[in-house]
């Protein structure tokens, strides 16, 4: 019999119940016992939901109060010293302290999980690092499910991936950086111990996730795989080794050679890899990831059946499992709960619960059950989607097809533009500006909510926003900033705001996906050809501009970021969808220029996170991503200044692409790493102007004038001083006014000190760059 399996279920709850509970616990209004009970209730509900959907191999230990990588860190007792010693087990307060920090212990770093928008807590390693089994969560949750009559397959993050995701915080002997893989021998006995305990508890299979298998592995990682799985093979339960987010490719032989009983393949991202496996043969149980765990479209069941049938013919039904491509953590919970989408759109979609039903239908078909009615309904829905006039706009397609290289080029090269912009903008040396948003106070958020609920009229809301904008401009003038912004008070989110005004976009009411910890995002859906029926931001920017004699910078979100933070249609290449968005932004840019705005910022904080997992795919991606930015920004005159902004940044390896954007000014997040990130710009001899962030906006702390001067002097050692701007790291929407006022006062004072000649360059120390999740709170 073919088995219907799942790799992981979203844990936040269809109505974000976990968020509510965890935040109440943090506030002190829910006790630890109450939080534990809510966790158990959600787990029970999720297990039962999966069983009712027809899944027989149901995961456990996919639940987490914060993050599964942090759970693994706790399991292995790798708690950094600053969070106190671990007694028998890591306590819940200790666990949350690692994730969120305390007054005296900064939180552990956080970064993106592969190419998703989920953030994990980065394991930290120091010299003399020790490990000890410090949590029995996987065993406890297995037993908890068993008590409910559900036999689960526990999920663990595998040792090689866990170590590879970690970061050494100290150098080892000599000056070489500690290699996290050196700790493999120390953690394997703990994994073995845990697997033995799971076997003793009754687990016959364990899913062990090793997503690094779809990345370019170093020889050391390859060796680590061999020794790790040799050590774990005999530990107890059978292992289902799960790869996902891409193809095993050159790591296929490695994966097949490991002594594990099963192998999971992502056949949505990399359908071609099955052919290789069919040709090679294997005696492992194969889990075929045929239902997209990363997107919200209904599966083409007819098409998914073909590879599944080929696999069954070759290996026999008993060796095949059908599953989503990866954990369903990355999609919303239940489409049936959704009220915001019309019936037609709904019929094209599948969220986690619906995806499991698809897995069950595929499995039943393979097992000979008569599923003709379900398959026919699926085929009809997909045919209707393909033919729907709502997704095809011939004008948009024609315009996109007609884009030429000339459309991607500014009229003149940077030096000529620079002179024209200097004459028009008349900015002082070391010009000061901000990244766009200003504090979204309780009043701003309340007014938005009231407007949405119909409690205040359009006119009242508009008047409120105008007052906020005007006040913000008055404040910027009083502070002495040079290039002003309108403050973005009308925007809820930097992607949603644009999506709501573009055609081809839809929004859900409950389509929440965990971003990190208790933070969830609701990515919009791009279902059709994208165009801009009318100007989106011109009114606000023009209004702001009319209030001041100082130059105003208009704010847009770039095409790559809009794409990256949405659920994207799967019926055409992402590059094509991105080009359509770029054309819409291009129209907005042209209208802003016509309205007299002398500077336009096009934010691309997500440019880097779109990088493919394999190096060899980078150039293709960067090629179209850069083209889309240029397409959006190129139509303006020489004297209109194009800015861009990036914040989640490790630029070293993509400098040529950043330079190829050809923005006149780029602002980047650099203050946390003490300007370390800026070295990439210096080494590359970045040709245009740069605003290295001098105020880390992730915390309310107000940086002193001296501190910012020192940062800028360091910046001046890598970037010629006449090309330096002075600005915060990112937008200020999550900050309060008191620290904003104080920090910007200091920022302006720092710029003035530099203008008075305090620019003796200070060298940039070879420090450690610390990319973090963007602190703007926009995503
Ligand atoms: N303009 C945006 C803001 O200031 C930029 C946010 C971001 O980079 N993520 O909020
Ligand atoms: Zn930013």
């Amino acid at each position: 019999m073919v088995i219907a399996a799942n790799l992981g279920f979203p844990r936040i709850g269809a109505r974000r119940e976990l968020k509510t509970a965890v935040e109440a616990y943090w506030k002190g209004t829910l006790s630890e016992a109450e939080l534990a009970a809510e966790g158990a209730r959600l787990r029970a509900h999720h297990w039962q939901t999966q069983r009712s959907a027809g899944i027989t191999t149901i995961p456990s230990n996919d639940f987490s109060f914060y993050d599964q990588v942090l759970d693994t860190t706790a399991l292995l007792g790798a708690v950094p010293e600053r969070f106190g010693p671990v007694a028998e087990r890591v306590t819940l307060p200790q666990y949350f302290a690692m994730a969120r920090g305390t007054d005296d212990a900064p939180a552990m770093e956080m970064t993106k999980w592969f190419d998703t928008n989920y953030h994990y807590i980065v394991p930290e390693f120091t010299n003399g690092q020790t490990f000890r089994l410090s949590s029995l969560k996987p065993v406890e949750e297995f037993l908890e499910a068993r008590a409910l009559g559900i036999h689960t397959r526990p999920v663990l993050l595998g040792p090689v991936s866990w170590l590879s995701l970690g970061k050494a915080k100290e150098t080892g002997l000599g000056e070489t950086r500690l290699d996290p893989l050196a700790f493999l021998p120390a953690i394997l006995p703990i994994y073995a111990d845990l697997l033995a305990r799971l076997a003793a508890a009754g687990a016959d299979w364990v899913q062990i996730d090793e997503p690094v298998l779809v990345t370019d592995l170093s020889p050391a990682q390859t060796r680590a795989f061999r020794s790790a799985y040799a050590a774990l093979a005999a530990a107890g339960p059978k292992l289902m080794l799960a790869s996902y987010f891409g193809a095993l490719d050159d790591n296929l032989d490695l994966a097949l050679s490991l002594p594990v009983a099963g192998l999971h393949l992502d056949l949505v991202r990399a359908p071609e890899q099955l052919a290789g496996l069919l040709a090679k043969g294997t005696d492992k149980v194969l889990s075929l990831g045929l239902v997209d765990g990363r997107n919200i479209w209904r599966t083409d069941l007819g098409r998914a059946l073909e590879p599944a049938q080929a696999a069954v013919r070759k290996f026999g039904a008993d060796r095949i499992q059908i599953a989503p491509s990866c954990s369903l953590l990355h999609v919303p919970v239940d489409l049936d709960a959704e009220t915001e989408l019309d019936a037609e759109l709904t019929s094209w979609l599948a969220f986690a619960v619906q995806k499991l039903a698809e897995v069950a239908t595929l499995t039943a078909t393979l097992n000979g059950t008569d599923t003709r009615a379900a398959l026919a309904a699926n085929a009809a829905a997909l045919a209707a989607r393909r033919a729907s006039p709502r997704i095809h706009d011939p004008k948009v397609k024609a315009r996109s097809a007609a884009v030429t290289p000339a459309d991607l080029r500014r009229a003149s090269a940077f030096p000529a533009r620079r002179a024209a912009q200097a004459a028009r903008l008349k900015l002082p040396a070391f010009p000061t500006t901000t990244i766009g948003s200003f504090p979204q106070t309780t009043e701003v958020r309340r007014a938005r909510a009231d407007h949405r609920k119909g409690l205040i009229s359009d006119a009242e809301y508009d008047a409120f926003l105008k007052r906020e904008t005007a006040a913000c401009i008055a404040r910027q003038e009083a502070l002495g900033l040079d290039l002003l912004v309108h403050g973005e008070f009308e925007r809820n989110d930097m992607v949603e705001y644009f999506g709501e005004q573009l055609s081809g976009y839809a929004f859900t009411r409950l389509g929440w996906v965990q971003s990190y910890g208790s933070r969830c995002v609701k990515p919009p859906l791009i279902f059709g050809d994208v165009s801009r029926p009318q100007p989106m931001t011109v009114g606000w920017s023009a209004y702001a501009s009319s209030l001041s004699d100082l130059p105003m910078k208009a704010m847009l979100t770039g095409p790559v970021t809009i794409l990256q933070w949405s659920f994207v249609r799967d019926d055409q290449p992402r590059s094509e969808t991105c080009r359509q968005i770029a054309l819409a932004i291009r129209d907005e840019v042209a209208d802003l220029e016509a309205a007299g705005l002398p500077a336009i910022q096009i934010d691309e904080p997500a440019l880097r996170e779109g990088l493919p997992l394999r190096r060899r795919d980078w150039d293709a991606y960067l090629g179209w991503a850069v083209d889309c930015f240029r397409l959006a920004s190129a139509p303006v005159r020489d004297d209109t200044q194009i800015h861009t902004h990036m914040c989640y940044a490790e630029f070293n390896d993509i400098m040529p692409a950043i330079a190829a954007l050809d923005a006149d000014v780029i602002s980047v997040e650099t203050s946390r790493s003490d300007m370390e990130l800026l070295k990439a710009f210096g080494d590359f001899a970045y040709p245009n102007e740069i605003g290295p962030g001098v105020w880390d906006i992730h915390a309310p702390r107000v940086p002193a004038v001296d501190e910012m001067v020192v940062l800028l002097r360091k910046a001046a050692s890598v970037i010629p001083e006449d090309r330096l701007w002075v600005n915060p790291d990112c937008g200020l929407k999550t900050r309060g006014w008191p620290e904003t006022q104080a920090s910007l006062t200091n920022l302006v004072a720092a710029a003035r000190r530099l203008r008075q000649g305090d620019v003796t360059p200070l060298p940039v120390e070879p420090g450690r760059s610390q990319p973090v999740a963007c602190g703007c709170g926009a995503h």
Side-chain angles (χ1 to χ4, degrees), residues 267-319:
L267 296 179
V268 174
R269 279 282 179 89
E272 71 288 349
Q273 56 177 342
L274 185 64
L277 197 64
L278 290 174
K280 272 191 188 350
T282 172
D283 52 11
K284 298 190 193 313
V285 171
L286 294 179
S287 166
L288 310 180
L290 289 165
V291 168
D292 196 348
R294 293 285 300 273
N295 212 334
I296 41 66
W297 305 102
R298 219 166 152 162
T299 305
D300 185 336
L301 295 179
R303 215 165 65 190
L305 272 172
E306 288 166 29
Q309 280 157 343
V312 169
R313 275 196 302 276
K314 168 94 185 183
F315 300 116
D318 291 341
R319 294 245 312 277

Side-chain angles (χ1 to χ4, degrees), residues 491-640:
R491 302 187 191 174
N492 35 3
D493 170 287
M494 64 186 293
V495 170
E496 192 169 45
Y497 182 76
F498 290 90
E500 277 171 350
Q501 304 185 71
L502 292 168
S503 43
Y505 256 94
F507 294 83
T508 63
R509 199 168 68 86
L510 295 168
W512 296 104
V513 178
Q514 189 178 13
S515 165
Y516 63 89
S518 67
R519 193 174 182 92
C520 302
V521 292
K522 209 157 48 96
L525 272 56
I526 307 178
F527 65 86
D529 289 333
V530 175
S531 62
R532 186 202 70 146
Q534 60 208 13
M536 304 183 282
T537 65
V538 179
W540 287 113
S541 287
Y543 171 70
S545 196
S546 74
L547 300 176
S548 178
D549 294 333
L550 292 171
M552 188 68 53
K553 177 169 71 167
M555 306 300 312
L556 300 173
T557 302
V560 184
T561 298
I562 293 184
L563 183 86
Q564 200 62 32
W565 292 345
S566 302
F567 282 122
V568 180
R569 59 192 288 191
D570 61 351
D571 59 347
Q572 68 184 19
R574 288 170 72 84
S575 54
E576 173 55 27
T577 304
C578 197
R579 185 157 54 191
Q580 294 180 354
I581 302 169
L583 285 166
I585 301 293
R586 181 181 172 95
D587 293 343
E588 188 73 10
V589 165
D591 284 345
L592 284 166
E593 177 175 71
L597 274 298
I600 302 170
Q601 179 169 311
I602 306 176
D603 292 325
E604 284 291 20
L607 181 82
R608 192 181 193 291
E609 73 185 51
L611 273 185
L613 294 173
R614 296 278 195 168
R615 271 270 173 175
R616 57 151 193 266
D617 301 327
W618 282 20
D619 286 352
Y621 162 76
L622 288 170
W624 63 254
V626 167
D627 279 357
C628 285
F629 181 90
R630 295 177 62 121
L631 181 59
S633 57
V636 293
R637 296 191 310 262
D638 285 353
D639 67 353
T640 298

Side-chain angles (χ1 to χ4, degrees), residues 435 494 603 605 645-648 669 697 729-731 774-776 779:
I435 308 304
M494 64 186 293
D603 292 325
H645 166 72
M646 287 177 199
C647 39
Y648 170 70
E669 175 187 39
I697 56 82
D729 265 346
C730 190
C774 173
C776 72
H779 45 91

Side-chain angles (χ1 to χ4, degrees), residues 421-433:
Q421 290 160 21
R424 180 174 179 200
L425 284 140
K426 299 191 179 59
L427 295 167
F430 302 102
T432 54
T433 191

Side-chain angles (χ1 to χ4, degrees), residues 323-336:
S325 58
C326 59
S327 166
L328 297 173
L329 179 65
H330 310 288
V331 291
V333 180
D334 188 1
L335 185 62
D336 289 343

